[in-house]
Amino acid sequence: MPARNDLIGRVFVTGVTGQDGSFLAEQLSDRGWEVHGLVHAGDGQAAALSARTPQVVLHEGDLTDQARIAALIDEIAPEEIYNLGGVSSVALSWQEPLLTAAVNGLGAAGLLDAAWRLQERTGRPVRVMQASSAEIFGAPEHAPQTEATPLRPLNPYGAAKAYAHQLTGVYRGRGLHASSVILYNHESPRRPETFVTRKITRAAAMIAAGKQDNLHLGNLDARRDWGWAPDYVEAMQLAVRHESPGDYIVATGRSHSVRDFVRTAFEHAGVTDWSERVVVDPQFVRPVEAVEQVGDARRARAELGWAPTVEFADIVARMVDADLESM
C-alpha cells in the first residue's frame, strides 16, 4: 500500500465482496483511495477480492453488530462510507424477514449514527452513501418513477430498504452528508447465480454446451430497468462527492421483460428454440409481484453528470460470454 501522502483518503465499504462492492473497491483503489471493507467471517468471496485487489484492507464484522461497526468506523476514521452490505435477495427476504429488517434496516441505522458521531467527535465531514433500491417504490402509480414517487414497498426487502432510505434523509437533516442512491436493477458477470439474470445467462451457456435441458423461471412478463453494474458504482461515487447530499435515482429509463432477457441471452448463445426450453414454475413466482419498474434518472444526469454507458443487449451479451467462457 502506498504511503499516506500518496493517498486521497480512506473509505469504508460494507458488502465489499459483492458485485457492486468489488467493482467499487477496484475503482476506488485505482484512483488512490485507501479502501477498507467489511466481510463476514468465512466469506467465500474474500479470497477472490484479495487476489483481485490485494491493497484492500478487510475487517471481519456484521452489520447487526452495531458496537463492532461503531468501533471499526472510529478506528478507520474514513472520509467516505459506502453501505452496500445486507440481504440482497427479495426471495430470501420473504424467508428471513426479521434478518432482513435487522441487516438492511437497523444495520444502516447503526452505520449512519456511527458516521455522525465520528463527524461530531473529529469536527471533519464524513460522507455516507446508502445503497437504496427501486423496491422501495413497490407498486408505483406511475412510470417512470422519480425521487418524489411515494414509497410503497411490497416485500420485506423493500420495506427494510425504505426505512434505511428515509433514515438517510433524517441524518442528512442532522448535518451528515448522507445520500441515498436508488439503484434499479444492474448486472454484470459478477452477479451471483441466485439472481434471475445470472441464472438465465448461466442456463443459456449450459444449454448451448449441451449440459442442461431446460430453464425454470417465474413470471416472464415482469419488467425491470436493467443497467451495467460498473456504471452504477460510478454514480455512487459521484453522489458522495457532490457538493450537497440528496436522493438520486440511478437507472437507464428503459424497461425490458424477463422474457426479453431470456430471448436475448439464448439467442446470443446460439440457442434458437429458447421458448421450448423455458418452463414457468410456480415456485419461482413472488408472493406479490411488483409492477413495472423503470427509473427517471434526470436528477442524477443533471446534478451529478452521470449517464449509463452500456445498452441492454450488450449487458446480456457480456454476461453470456463470460458464462460461455467458463464452460
Side-chain angles (χ1 to χ4, degrees), residues 160-183:
K161 283 289 188 179
Y163 170 77
H165 171 78
Q166 292 186 312
L167 198 62
T168 301
V170 170
Y171 272 87
R172 187 187 308 145
R174 206 176 184 190
L176 189 67
H177 190 295
S179 292
S180 183
V181 177
I182 306 167
L183 303 164

Side-chain angles (χ1 to χ4, degrees), residues 293-312:
Q293 292 183 348
V294 55
D296 182 346
R298 280 182 291 182
R299 176 179 291 177
R301 289 173 180 266
E303 296 185 15
L304 305 181
W306 177 84
T309 66
V310 183
E311 295 293 331
F312 171 76

Side-chain angles (χ1 to χ4, degrees), residues 237-312:
Q237 297 168 73
L238 291 171
V240 167
R241 313 236 169 88
H242 191 56
E243 59 183 354
S244 57
D247 299 333
Y248 299 97
I249 281 180
V250 177
T252 70
R254 298 178 182 178
S255 69
H256 296 83
S257 66
V258 173
R259 192 185 310 275
D260 294 334
F261 203 106
V262 174
R263 180 192 306 112
T264 304
F266 277 56
E267 290 180 351
H268 185 76
V271 180
T272 57
D273 61 341
W274 66 270
S275 60
E276 300 172 15
R277 302 280 196 162
V278 179
V279 178
V280 176
D281 191 331
Q283 71 171 311
F284 295 122
V285 177
R286 292 183 184 180
V288 181
E289 184 63 59
V291 297
E292 180 176 14
Q293 292 183 348
V294 55
D296 182 346
R298 280 182 291 182
R299 176 179 291 177
R301 289 173 180 266
E303 296 185 15
L304 305 181
W306 177 84
T309 66
V310 183
E311 295 293 331
F312 171 76

